[in-house]
Amino acid sequence: MASKMWERKKNHVAHCVVLPYPSQGHINPMVQFSKRLVQRGVKITLVNTVSISNTITRTNPTSFEIETISDGYDNGGLASAEGIEAYKDTFSRVGSQTLADLLLKLQSSSNPVDCVIYDAFMPWVVDVSKSFELKVAVFLTQACSVNSINFHAFQKSLQLPISDTEILLPGLPKLAPEDLPSFLFKYGTDLGYFDLLLNQFSEIDKVDWVLANTFYELEAEVVDWLAKIWPLKTIGPCVPSMCLDKRLKDDKEYGISIYTPNAEACIKWLDDKPKGSVVYVSFGSRVGLSEEQTEELAWGLRDCGSYFIWVVRDSEQGRLRKGFLESSEKGLIVTWCPQLEVLMHEAVGCFVTHCGWNSTLETLSLGVPVISMPLWTDQLTNAKLLVDVWKMGLKAIADGKGVVRRETMKRCIKEIMETEKGNELRNSAIKWKNLAKNAVDEGGSSDKSISEFVAALVL
Ligand code: UDP
């Protein structure tokens, strides 16, 4: 592998290579962070895998250079691999080689690279980048609370399997085992993902910066604790500027989408609904509901009396009972929607969410209260924070079979849409919305961190 010191020309512009893990929820925040860097005059080369780059339906951020590397599965990515273990191993091997080829090319260009910013799911990037004598920043796409829990498990200062009924970790509220990320709570159920999550920290001692998609005021205590052991900067929420400070012109959406949204249909449908009358329901880009859960949710939505928009991806449509929509006059089902525009719409009164970290930051940035229905991984912890710490939602409690029943869903929707408690949760969400805006606005905690990062890039 080449290791050759390169020289900056007089008119050199700080240049970052940005490497997201190939999934929608990981690409979105890194694209958004990149826009904040471009705003400060940094050149960005965004690197996707070949398979993702073949799937993307829109690309707006023309202010980036776009390049590709290979994960070894150019015709289908993770979905075409034998499983997550095989995918990880192949990606690490083929990704290292193709990244080295790319860096070699970029380092002989007129404006070589200063820093590689990589998603923590790809720790092999560190050695490749360091072999080119580049600065390296790891980008953590999950909440700092979750990063800290996973880090304790990585270090074995959180013993697995969990035997305690209460988990006490520095800077975090008291947690029950079921509030931990699912791969820890149900240790041994999915060792491929378990490794992926814990190995995020395997190279963390070698990096120059740890960038976290959160904001200081949201997770102050755990951020303070982590900042003692890592060169940590909180730079979020990494959501489009129109949701927050509005300082990036025309920045209404992430701009890179793997799925095609039914944008017009959603917004037109929302436009004639009364203020705060619609329940928005989505479980993100990756997991699906079981048939039984789909059925229970469908009944709960039909019977709750509110309007609803429910995102049921193409791959999940088969689980929906035939004739359901026809029997429900107040619903709209779409295969994908422009989530930010929907959450921003004044007709939307609450969000039934799986509590993915992007959805969590988006709903918080837009002041929409939630009904949490976490399914796996960090969603369990995010749900705990949304409901018990940030107090901007209700938890839809599942039964012994892990299914949220129709009566539970109906009760939660009625409580949030029709009662004083719902108003309190909404007010709390608006409080977080203002704090999130302040963090990214001029002089805010994240704004300052990003400026410090940029200033140090070419030192
Ligand atoms: N999203 C969207 N339209 C949809 C559903 C989701 O644009 O119909 C976006 C959402 O705004 C978020 C991302 O997809 O940015 C999902 O990320 P998250 O971390 O919430 O969940 P994941 O997909 O990783 O489970």
Side-chain angles (χ1 to χ4, degrees), residues 163-237:
S163 52
D164 297 335
T165 49
E166 262 183 14
I167 293 104
L168 292 168
L169 293 173
L172 292 175
K174 206 181 283 173
L175 297 168
E178 60 272 23
D179 299 327
L180 296 177
S182 60
F183 305 116
L184 306 187
F185 166 47
K186 296 180 184 169
Y187 175 63
T189 48
D190 201 334
L191 289 172
Y193 276 104
F194 175 83
D195 283 348
L196 189 69
L197 284 154
L198 265 54
N199 281 334
Q200 292 186 95
F201 310 104
S202 60
E203 304 293 314
I204 208 155
D205 291 340
K206 299 184 192 165
V207 305
D208 300 277
W209 295 277
V210 176
L211 305 171
N213 180 19
T214 186
F215 59 102
Y216 179 74
E217 294 74 10
L218 186 65
E219 299 184 276
E221 285 178 46
V222 72
V223 169
D224 283 339
W225 190 83
L226 289 171
K228 287 185 201 145
I229 51 169
W230 296 338
L232 179 67
K233 289 198 176 301
T234 52
I235 44 78

Side-chain angles (χ1 to χ4, degrees), residues 10 16 59 71 83 138-139 169 177 209 217 219 230 237 269-270 274 289 304 315 349 375 389 407 418 444:
K10 251 192 178 159
C16 292
T59 57
D71 55 9
V138 60
F139 191 100
L169 293 173
W209 295 277
E217 294 74 10
E219 299 184 276
W230 296 338
W269 186 88
L270 282 169
L289 302 180
C304 73
S315 54
L375 303 169
V389 180
E407 301 77 24
E418 295 170 17

Side-chain angles (χ1 to χ4, degrees), residues 60-306:
N60 269 355
T62 46
S63 47
F64 307 156
E65 301 289 325
I66 307 274
E67 292 281 357
T68 53
I69 58 169
S70 176
D71 55 9
Y73 298 89
D74 291 349
N75 295 315
L78 173 59
S80 65
E82 300 76 6
I84 186 71
E85 302 267 14
Y87 182 74
K88 258 186 334 175
D89 294 345
T90 309
F91 194 5
S92 152
R93 186 170 40 78
V94 181
S96 294
Q97 187 52 54
T98 49
L99 176 61
D101 295 343
L102 174 64
L103 290 176
L104 195 58
K105 179 179 100 174
L106 294 176
Q107 292 317 74
S108 50
S109 69
S110 57
N111 200 120
V113 178
D114 300 285
C115 176
V116 174
I117 307 173
Y118 75 98
D119 187 313
F121 277 24
M122 295 137 70
W124 47 266
V125 172
V126 176
D127 278 350
V128 180
S129 308
K130 287 288 173 191
S131 75
F132 284 84
E133 298 175 22
L134 297 173
K135 291 178 178 156
V136 180
V138 60
F139 191 100
L140 298 169
T141 55
Q142 299 187 326
C144 271
S145 306
V146 171
N147 295 322
S148 182
I149 296 169
N150 284 333
F151 181 65
H152 278 88
F154 170 75
Q155 278 195 312
K156 302 199 174 8
S157 47
L158 176 65
Q159 289 299 328
L160 298 174
I162 305 287
S163 52
D164 297 335
T165 49
E166 262 183 14
I167 293 104
L168 292 168
L169 293 173
L172 292 175
K174 206 181 283 173
L175 297 168
E178 60 272 23
D179 299 327
L180 296 177
S182 60
F183 305 116
L184 306 187
F185 166 47
K186 296 180 184 169
Y187 175 63
T189 48
D190 201 334
L191 289 172
Y193 276 104
F194 175 83
D195 283 348
L196 189 69
L197 284 154
L198 265 54
N199 281 334
Q200 292 186 95
F201 310 104
S202 60
E203 304 293 314
I204 208 155
D205 291 340
K206 299 184 192 165
V207 305
D208 300 277
W209 295 277
V210 176
L211 305 171
N213 180 19
T214 186
F215 59 102
Y216 179 74
E217 294 74 10
L218 186 65
E219 299 184 276
E221 285 178 46
V222 72
V223 169
D224 283 339
W225 190 83
L226 289 171
K228 287 185 201 145
I229 51 169
W230 296 338
L232 179 67
K233 289 198 176 301
T234 52
I235 44 78
C238 296
V239 300
S241 176
M242 279 307 133
C243 305
L244 295 163
D245 58 321
K246 305 189 173 42
R247 289 191 297 155
L248 299 187
K249 207 168 156 277
D250 298 329
D251 185 35
K252 294 194 184 94
E253 54 186 352
Y254 293 100
I256 290 193
S257 185
I258 298 174
Y259 305 93
T260 312
N262 310 63
E264 225 185 282
C266 290
I267 304 304
K268 232 169 129 181
W269 186 88
L270 282 169
D271 277 344
D272 64 9
K273 302 294 174 293
K275 193 173 170 191
S277 66
V278 178
V279 180
Y280 168 56
V281 188
S282 161
F283 299 94
S285 62
R286 299 178 66 197
V287 279
L289 302 180
S290 65
E291 203 158 316
E292 189 175 7
Q293 182 62 84
T294 307
E295 179 77 1
E296 289 297 318
L297 180 59
W299 281 105
L301 290 171
R302 204 198 71 163
D303 294 345
C304 73
S306 290

Side-chain angles (χ1 to χ4, degrees), residues 341-357:
E341 274 186 78
V342 168
L343 287 172
M344 236 180 285
H345 201 288
E346 65 169 19
V348 171
C350 84
F351 181 12
V352 177
T353 173
H354 71 315
C355 307
W357 187 235

Side-chain angles (χ1 to χ4, degrees), residues 23-26 28-29 58 141 254 257 259 261 280-287 311 313 334-340 343 351 353-360 362 376-379:
S23 87
Q24 188 74 61
H26 286 246
N28 284 358
R58 302 171 291 151
T141 55
Y254 293 100
S257 185
Y259 305 93
Y280 168 56
V281 188
S282 161
F283 299 94
S285 62
R286 299 178 66 197
V287 279
V311 180
R313 295 194 316 276
V334 290
T335 53
W336 192 249
C337 80
Q339 179 158 304
L340 292 166
L343 287 172
F351 181 12
T353 173
H354 71 315
C355 307
W357 187 235
N358 294 293
S359 295
T360 299
E362 289 164 11
W376 72 330
T377 184
D378 60 329
Q379 297 156 18

